[in-house]
Structure formats: structure tokens, C-alpha cells
Amino acid sequence: METNTLARYLADPIRDDLSRKMVFLGGPRQVGKTTLALALLGTNDSRDPAYLNWDSPRVRPGLLRGELPPGESRLVLDEIHKFPRWRNLIKGLYDTEGDRVSFLIAGSARLDHYRKGGDSLQGRYHYYRLHPLTLGELTSDSSPADLDALMQFGGFPEPFLAGNTRTWRRWQRERQSRILYEDLRDLENVREVALVELLAEALPDRVGSPLSIRSLSEDLQVAHETVARWLAILENLFVCFRIPPFGAPRIRAVKKETKLYLWDWSQAPGKGPRFENLVACHLLKYCHLLEDTQGYRMELRFVRDTDRREIDFVVVRENEPIFAVECKSGEGAPSRAIEYFRQRTPIKNFYQVHLGKRDYVSNGTRVVPFTTFCQELSLP
């Protein structure tokens, strides 16, 4: 399978929205944003005149003068978020040319980061987050082989489609270097890049566990506030994400702990943490898709009480839990914590997903292969 023949799951909703507003497309480095943007132009050639990359010395002066290629009805502006006043520039282009040109703005986390504040672009765009490849994108009938490949190589198109360990290792090393020594330099004011790199290297061992910033600050010998800021930056750069706990009146739920996961789950060491991280990414993608296309307020959380009973994930829509998911590599009986939380929380539907083949119901809990779970819930 070639990268440019892989139809991405956001292509149709973005195409539809471009007829009415600008579209902002964010996501991790090398997740396929540029490939998708070019496909929406009907090409795979980055030299197409409708594709304008801010990093190009040829493109930048014209954009600053407000000049656009003539005769193009759709334009892609890539990496323009690196310009400090990019929002005002885009606003000017859209307000003067938006009646004849549709704009797709592609870039990194900075697009998402800026949209949370008050900005002059409000009401002029829809925002989408592009995720790595998952089972639902590969085929409508996912196989254990698909899941094995995702577990081994992750969901970023280049290493997944290459399908060999050597490419995967080289890609991981090069991607992390570019994030820390290019994106971090361009987007954030951080001097201690080497220490941020040490922090990034420490995160895979903490996948799926309650994250202790204090422990990280002691390991790195820097202030608690500094580590907290660096973690926020790594989240903005789509290196990692954290999920908060879900509380209910009848349980003594933890309130301040968060759990950490990586956008590239193939970095997680060990079969169990890697599978849990892969499931987290599938569920987060599901939540973001419903938010970005349907307007629902979605949250991915976990359940944990002070006695350390835990369910890995709860998907929440409009403040109401719709289902919970526990991850196990084996096909055994449901976790005892499921029945405990079933009786004490408003969560009605519980699943225990695994890497095996058995599909059965035990005490109201569906124990199901993860491939089947994804198909039945139509996870993207």
C-alpha cells in the first residue's frame, strides 16, 4: 500500500467544510497532514502552485505582500503558524479573498494552542485534528495481522507502510530530533533543549501509570513548575497526551492524578503498556472525530479510586459516560473492578478488550477482541 493511495478518514468532512469556511488541520509531525492537504487539491505534488509552504523562500515574500496564485479556487497554507503574526495575515487573506478562494491551513499543535485563546479568526474556520492510522482506517474488516502491525510499527504512515524494523527505528530517531531541535526552536522559548529531550525519553516508561511531576522533577533536578511547563509543551507538539480521572458521588475517586500516553504508541515498552496506549489513541481519535465533525463535547477519562481499583478508560459525551473500556492482553475473566464500578457509577456499558480471539459476556461485561470492538463501535 502506497502512502498517497491511502484515503484518510478526514478527507470528506474537510472537503465539505471548505465550501463554507476555512479549515485548520492540526496533528503530530509526519502524521500525514501535507499528504492529505495535497490530496484535497487533487495532486500529490508539493510543487503545485496552490500549495504554499511558509518554509519556502519563494512563497514567503508573496504571502507577506498578500499575493496569492491567480486562478486557484482552493489553497493550502502549510507551516504558516511559524510566522508570529500568522492569524492576522490569514484573517486579511480570508476577508479579502474568501469569497473566491477556500483556504486549508495545515500545521502543528500551534494551531490548536492558539485557537483556545480569544483570536480574530473566531467564526471563520473549523478545526480538525488528524490522528495516526488506526484499525478503522486500514480496512472495514480488521484482522489480527493489522493489529500486530500497528502494535509493532505504530500508526504513523511512513514506518507502518514500510513495515520493517530498520525503517521504524530510523524514523523514530529522526522524528524526535526534528520535534525537539526544529519545532521546539520555532514554536517555544526553551533554552534547556537537552533536558527536554531527557524528559521525552523518560515518558515511555510512564505510559498508563499515574503521572508524578514531582518524580520527574527529582529525576531531572529541575523545578516542579519547569517540568509542568515542559510537559505542556510536549503536549502542544503532539508528543504525548494526558487524561484526567472520572469521578462519581459513590466512589472515593482520585481527583488530581492524570495518566500519560504517547501519540506514537510504538515507543511504549512492553506488550501490556503498548496495547493500552494503542487503545487510548483509538479512543481519543474517536472522541476528537465526534468533536470536530459533530460538535459534541467529548472527553476521554479513566476511573480510579483511593483503594487503587481502576478501569483504564471512560468515554464521556456531553458530561455523560457512554462506555468504559478495560485493557487486558489475555482473554480471561473481567476485572473485579468492573463490577465494583458498575454498581457505584452511572457507567452502563463495560468492555474488556484483549489481543486474543474469545468473544463472550460475563456478568454483563463484554469480553471482546479489540479488532471486533473497533468494528462494532465503528471506531475510525
Side-chain angles (χ1 to χ4, degrees), residues 10-19 21 23-25 36 40 74 104 128:
L10 290 180
D12 288 340
I14 289 177
R15 188 178 290 110
D16 182 58
D17 277 340
L18 280 170
S19 65
K21 292 189 177 186
V23 168
F24 285 9
L25 178 62
L36 173 56
L40 290 166
R74 178 175 296 170
L104 173 59
Y128 287 87

Coordinates of all heavy atoms in Angstrom, one line a residue, residues 10-19 21 23-25 36 40 74 104 128:
L10 N -10.5 11.9 7.4 CA -11.0 13.3 7.4 C -11.2 14.0 6.1 O -11.7 15.1 6.0 CB -10.0 14.2 8.2 CG -9.9 13.9 9.7 CD1 -8.9 14.9 10.4 CD2 -11.3 14.0 10.4
A11 N -10.9 13.3 5.0 CA -10.9 13.9 3.7 C -12.3 14.4 3.3 O -12.5 15.6 2.9 CB -10.4 12.9 2.6
D12 N -13.3 13.6 3.5 CA -14.7 14.0 3.1 C -15.2 15.2 4.0 O -15.8 16.1 3.5 CB -15.6 12.8 3.1 CG -15.4 11.9 2.0 OD1 -14.7 12.3 1.0 OD2 -15.8 10.7 2.0
P13 N -15.2 15.1 5.3 CA -15.7 16.2 6.1 C -15.0 17.5 5.9 O -15.5 18.6 5.9 CB -15.6 15.7 7.6 CG -14.7 14.5 7.6 CD -14.8 13.9 6.2
I14 N -13.6 17.4 5.7 CA -12.9 18.7 5.4 C -13.3 19.2 4.0 O -13.5 20.4 3.9 CB -11.4 18.4 5.4 CG1 -10.9 18.1 6.8 CG2 -10.6 19.6 4.8 CD1 -9.4 17.8 6.9
R15 N -13.5 18.4 3.0 CA -13.9 18.8 1.7 C -15.2 19.5 1.8 O -15.5 20.6 1.2 CB -13.9 17.7 0.8 CG -14.1 18.1 -0.7 CD -14.1 16.8 -1.6 NE -12.8 16.2 -1.7 CZ -12.4 15.1 -1.2 NH1 -13.3 14.3 -0.5 NH2 -11.2 14.6 -1.4
D16 N -16.1 19.0 2.6 CA -17.4 19.6 2.7 C -17.4 20.9 3.4 O -18.0 21.9 3.0 CB -18.3 18.6 3.5 CG -19.7 19.2 3.7 OD1 -20.4 19.4 2.7 OD2 -20.2 19.3 4.9
D17 N -16.6 21.0 4.5 CA -16.5 22.3 5.2 C -15.8 23.4 4.4 O -16.0 24.6 4.6 CB -15.7 22.1 6.5 CG -16.6 21.6 7.6 OD1 -17.9 21.7 7.5 OD2 -16.1 21.0 8.6
L18 N -14.9 23.0 3.5 CA -14.1 24.0 2.8 C -15.1 24.9 1.9 O -14.7 26.0 1.4 CB -13.1 23.4 1.9 CG -11.8 23.0 2.6 CD1 -10.9 22.1 1.8 CD2 -11.0 24.3 3.1
S19 N -16.3 24.4 1.6 CA -17.2 25.1 0.8 C -17.8 26.3 1.6 O -18.5 27.2 1.0 CB -18.3 24.2 0.3 OG -19.1 23.7 1.3
K21 N -16.2 27.6 5.0 CA -15.3 28.3 5.9 C -13.9 27.8 5.6 O -13.6 26.9 4.9 CB -15.6 28.0 7.4 CG -16.9 28.5 7.9 CD -17.0 28.4 9.4 CE -18.3 29.0 9.9 NZ -18.3 29.0 11.4
V23 N -10.6 25.9 6.9 CA -10.3 24.7 7.7 C -8.9 24.7 8.2 O -8.0 24.9 7.4 CB -10.6 23.4 6.9 CG1 -10.1 22.2 7.7 CG2 -12.1 23.2 6.6
F24 N -8.8 24.5 9.5 CA -7.4 24.3 10.1 C -7.2 22.9 10.4 O -8.1 22.2 10.9 CB -7.4 25.1 11.5 CG -7.2 26.6 11.4 CD1 -7.4 27.2 10.1 CD2 -7.0 27.3 12.5 CE1 -7.2 28.6 10.0 CE2 -6.9 28.7 12.4 CZ -7.0 29.3 11.2
L25 N -6.1 22.4 10.0 CA -5.8 20.9 10.1 C -4.5 20.8 11.0 O -3.4 21.2 10.5 CB -5.6 20.3 8.7 CG -5.2 18.8 8.7 CD1 -6.2 17.9 9.4 CD2 -4.9 18.4 7.3
L36 N -2.5 14.7 3.0 CA -4.0 14.9 3.0 C -4.3 16.2 2.3 O -5.2 16.3 1.5 CB -4.6 14.8 4.4 CG -6.0 15.1 4.5 CD1 -6.9 14.2 3.6 CD2 -6.5 15.0 6.0
L40 N -6.5 16.8 -1.2 CA -7.7 17.7 -1.3 C -7.5 18.7 -2.4 O -8.5 19.3 -2.9 CB -7.9 18.4 0.0 CG -8.4 17.5 1.1 CD1 -8.4 18.1 2.5 CD2 -9.9 17.0 0.8
R74 N -8.8 26.9 -4.5 CA -8.5 26.3 -3.2 C -7.0 26.4 -3.0 O -6.2 26.0 -3.8 CB -9.0 24.8 -3.1 CG -8.7 24.1 -1.8 CD -9.3 22.7 -1.8 NE -10.7 22.8 -1.9 CZ -11.5 21.7 -2.0 NH1 -11.0 20.5 -2.2 NH2 -12.8 21.9 -2.1
L104 N -7.2 26.0 3.2 CA -6.9 25.0 4.2 C -5.5 25.3 4.8 O -4.5 25.4 4.1 CB -6.8 23.6 3.5 CG -6.3 22.4 4.3 CD1 -7.2 22.2 5.5 CD2 -6.3 21.2 3.4
Y128 N -9.8 20.7 12.7 CA -9.7 19.2 12.7 C -8.3 18.8 13.2 O -7.3 19.4 13.0 CB -9.8 18.7 11.3 CG -11.2 18.8 10.7 CD1 -11.7 19.9 10.0 CD2 -12.1 17.7 10.8 CE1 -12.9 20.0 9.5 CE2 -13.4 17.8 10.3 CZ -13.8 18.9 9.6 OH -15.0 19.0 9.1

